[in-house]
Amino acid sequence: MRFHLDHIASLPYFLEKTIFKGLVFMTHATKAVYKFLLSDYVKVSKVSIKDILYDEQDILRFMDKIESGKLVISVDGNVAHLDKWSGNVESQNEGLKESVQVAFRRIQNAVKPIPLSVF
């Protein structure tokens, strides 16, 4: 089995054809470009139908499994998911959830956008 595109081409196979049930995180920009790269990869692959590793339908199912816009924070085995657009935090550990929310608010208040008119 060979994958190219700097190994990112293996993700649809990994998620659709194996028992892996974890999460995949990408930025919004990466996810937007990724679908086009994979579709092109399928179109230009020079393999027979029986040897194809995944098809367009696999790609569509796979794209729904990609989380974008979330950051994963792990502290002492506890995990929190932070939606960097809304600031919502998901975690089973309430102490970690509160700490991440406070840190996010502090960062938001400290970082001010630069008006485009400056450029």
Side-chain angles (χ1 to χ4, degrees):
M1 223 180 284
R2 291 188 58 159
F3 298 101
H4 296 283
L5 298 173
D6 201 291
H7 307 288
I8 61 169
S10 66
L11 284 175
Y13 180 87
F14 189 68
L15 286 179
E16 293 299 317
K17 311 285 183 176
T18 70
I19 62 171
F20 178 77
K21 299 297 179 219
L23 297 172
V24 174
F25 295 89
M26 292 182 183
T27 64
H28 289 288
T30 300
K31 185 176 178 181
V33 172
Y34 190 61
K35 181 179 177 186
F36 294 108
L37 288 172
L38 292 177
S39 294
D40 190 54
Y41 174 76
V42 168
K43 290 174 190 164
V44 300
S45 291
K46 304 277 193 257
V47 296
S48 67
I49 296 298
K50 70 178 180 87
D51 292 330
I52 196 161
L53 298 172
Y54 52 84
D55 60 21
E56 291 282 340
Q57 294 304 312
D58 291 325
I59 293 170
L60 292 175
R61 282 190 300 275
F62 163 73
M63 294 303 291
D64 289 338
K65 295 178 181 178
I66 298 172
E67 295 280 341
S68 60
K70 287 190 177 182
L71 303 174
V72 180
I73 300 148
S74 177
V75 178
D76 296 330
N78 296 299
V79 177
H81 297 261
L82 168 65
D83 184 314
K84 63 184 180 184
W85 302 112
S86 69
N88 291 334
V89 179
E90 299 169 13
S91 179
Q92 292 181 349
N93 183 305
E94 288 299 318
L96 177 59
K97 182 177 178 177
E98 169 97 15
S99 295
V100 171
Q101 287 171 331
V102 167
F104 183 76
R105 282 194 297 272
R106 285 182 181 162
I107 291 168
Q108 274 187 315
N109 292 331
V111 177
K112 302 295 180 209
I114 300 170
L116 292 177
S117 60
V118 171
F119 299 103

